[in-house]
Amino acid sequence: MSTPRIRTLPAGLALAGAAITFTSMYLAAGALTPLLVVYQQRFDFAPSMLTLAFAVYAIGFLAAVLTVGSLSDHVGRRPVLIGALVVQIASNLLFLFAADVGWVIGGRIVQGVASGAATSAFTAMLVEVAPAHRKRLGTILGSVGLTGGLGGGSLLAGFAVQFTSSANTIIFVVLTVATVLGILVVAFSPESVTRAPGAARSLIPRISFPAATRREFVAAAPVVAAVWMLAGLSGGLAPSMVRSVFHSDSSLLGGFAGFVAPAVSAVVGLTFARVAPRRAMTIGIYASIIGAVGIITGVLVGSLAVMIVGQAVAGVGFGASFTASLRLIFPLAAAHQRAGVVAGIYLVSYLALGVPIVIEGQLVGPLGEVPAVFWYTALTILLALISLIAQRRLAISQGSPGVLSGRNPAEAAKAAASARPAASASGR
């Protein structure tokens, strides 16, 4: 007697449901951007605790992505995603019933664990469940869901705080319902992975940079750290600065300050997909420097508009340079080495998101908020300049002028190869 098959959702519906569920996880992460200011007022904790509450998300994310990040390749997408979504509900409940800053910090750590466990599995699932003619759409939804969710969560939470008296309850009740529905979507979506041995081994963190990737990684790592530090400024500092530096009580403006950079980076990441990666990297470096200068200028002259424009330009830098770094480094690794490379890039990114902003929070007391933000942002400029020099040296060492002009390495190599016979014929 055959076992009846469980009916699964049609591919299009499974794709839409998975995309909405994935986005809702980052909506929750983004919602904390303006809500942290609300928690600070409610629980009366120091600015250093606010930056800590923002930054501990990175601890949970890294712990999960470095351990269970590739688990779904062995046990299937559905078990990992359902487990991550249950953890996400736990984090929502911690925020919903928060009684002091300890609950908020605990909720952020748990939220980071959920996101770290789900991100790689969701991005893979979105491509795998997509109809055959919409695989590219699955990739796009994975990219937009992350950065768009962060920006959208900040903006929507800003609206809720501005125009309702129970924003925290509304936000996390809605997100909890969305997550429960997401569990049902995942449970009834087709499983795209056949169980394979090695699940226990996959839990051991692996960070590696094969020799072929090291020069590109060293050249890209400083600007990767810089743009993630600027992302930390947008998500962890900007909303509170709207109140403390620019003396505005508008939660909507605070939410917008957290929205603009990830929203711009999401659009740029998509539009730059067709730009040669070296050119995209160079544009991203310049944009991150200009954006950081704009942020510093806005803070020093007391202009919120200038700071927000600086954040938007920094968002261009993030979208262009981080995407380019993946395109430059990832293809140089063999298939069996790529998990370790991705883990290493995540490590740099989330350490840059979390550690410097905690240090900045500790410096607010002795230095004052404006000087602390100034030196924090100045460090991002220094890191971006280091990457710019490294990129130029790398281009020169490869003997590919096309790299500096924006052609990708493959095109430059092809041009160089075709030029050699002519050079030989001329006696050089």
Side-chain angles (χ1 to χ4, degrees):
M1 186 174 178
S2 61
T3 303
R5 293 181 59 187
I6 298 175
R7 297 187 67 178
T8 57
L9 297 172
L13 187 56
L15 175 63
I20 293 170
T21 305
F22 180 50
T23 302
S24 75
M25 297 190 77
Y26 282 95
L27 285 171
L32 265 292
T33 298
L35 282 176
L36 282 174
V37 180
V38 175
Y39 295 142
Q40 185 182 26
Q41 293 175 313
R42 181 186 300 173
F43 302 132
D44 191 27
F45 53 81
S48 60
M49 292 301 291
L50 184 146
T51 54
L52 178 64
F54 171 80
V56 291
Y57 175 88
I59 296 174
F61 187 97
L62 278 175
V65 80
L66 294 178
T67 53
V68 301
S70 59
L71 182 62
S72 70
D73 292 335
H74 302 275
V75 302
R77 309 291 183 219
R78 287 189 301 195
V80 171
L81 289 174
I82 290 171
L85 291 170
V86 169
V87 174
Q88 178 76 2
I89 290 174
S91 75
N92 289 347
L93 294 177
L94 283 169
F95 295 126
L96 184 61
F97 298 108
D100 55 41
V101 68
W103 287 61
V104 177
I105 291 173
R108 282 292 278 176
I109 294 173
V110 175
Q111 188 180 65
V113 170
S115 299
T119 295
S120 58
F122 256 130
T123 51
M125 178 186 177
L126 287 168
V127 175
E128 292 161 355
V129 303
H133 61 290
R134 291 186 174 176
K135 296 298 183 184
R136 178 171 168 76
L137 177 60
T139 302
I140 291 171
L141 290 172
S143 174
V144 172
L146 195 158
T147 49
L150 287 172
S154 177
L155 187 61
L156 292 173
F159 268 106
V161 174
Q162 183 74 39
F163 298 112
T164 73
S165 58
S166 52
N168 189 68
T169 300
I170 292 170
I171 290 166
F172 288 108
V173 167
V174 170
L175 287 171
T176 299
V177 171
T179 307
V180 170
L181 294 175
I183 290 174
L184 296 176
V185 167
V186 171
F188 288 98
S189 293
E191 177 58 77
S192 52
V193 172
T194 302
R195 285 179 175 265
R201 197 181 319 118
S202 73
L203 299 177
I204 301 172
R206 290 177 296 165
I207 299 172
S208 65
F209 287 99
T213 68
R214 286 173 195 162
R215 295 185 69 192
E216 287 288 0
F217 172 73
V218 170
V223 74
V224 168
V227 296
W228 279 83
M229 283 179 65
L230 290 172
L233 185 147
S234 289
L237 291 178
S240 65
M241 287 165 58
V242 168
R243 186 179 298 272
S244 60
V245 175
F246 301 104
H247 310 295
S248 170
D249 292 329
S250 172
S251 297
L252 185 56
L253 274 177
F256 185 76
F259 161 80
V260 62
V264 170
S265 69
V267 174
V268 169
L270 294 176
T271 56
F272 271 56
R274 297 182 182 277
V275 177
R278 191 74 67 192
R279 171 172 287 178
M281 173 62 79
T282 304
I283 292 171
I285 291 172
Y286 281 120
S288 66
I289 293 170
I290 295 168
V293 170
I295 292 168
I296 289 175
T297 302
V299 170
L300 291 179
V301 304
S303 173
L304 178 58
V306 172
M307 188 191 80
I308 287 178
V309 170
Q311 288 180 264
V313 178
V316 174
F318 187 107
S321 59
F322 186 66
T323 303
S325 70
L326 297 176
R327 292 171 63 198
L328 288 167
I329 299 168
F330 197 65
L332 299 176
H336 68 281
Q337 299 170 327
R338 288 174 183 167
V341 170
V342 171
I345 295 171
Y346 270 130
L347 184 65
V348 171
S349 302
Y350 278 86
L351 285 177
L353 178 73
V355 174
I357 204 166
V358 171
I359 297 172
E360 189 277 344
Q362 297 297 320
L363 293 175
V364 167
L367 296 182
E369 186 159 22
V370 170
V373 171
F374 174 87
W375 289 112
Y376 178 95
T377 313
L379 177 58
T380 69
I381 295 174
L382 176 62
L383 289 169
L385 287 171
I386 291 171
S387 258
L388 182 62
I389 294 168
Q391 291 290 328
R392 291 186 176 277
R393 287 181 175 174
L394 187 59
I396 292 169
S397 69
Q398 290 175 342
S400 304
V403 171
L404 288 174
S405 64
R407 288 152 61 185
N408 65 36
E411 290 170 342
K414 189 184 294 183
S418 64
R420 285 191 198 106
S424 300
S426 65
R428 288 183 222 167

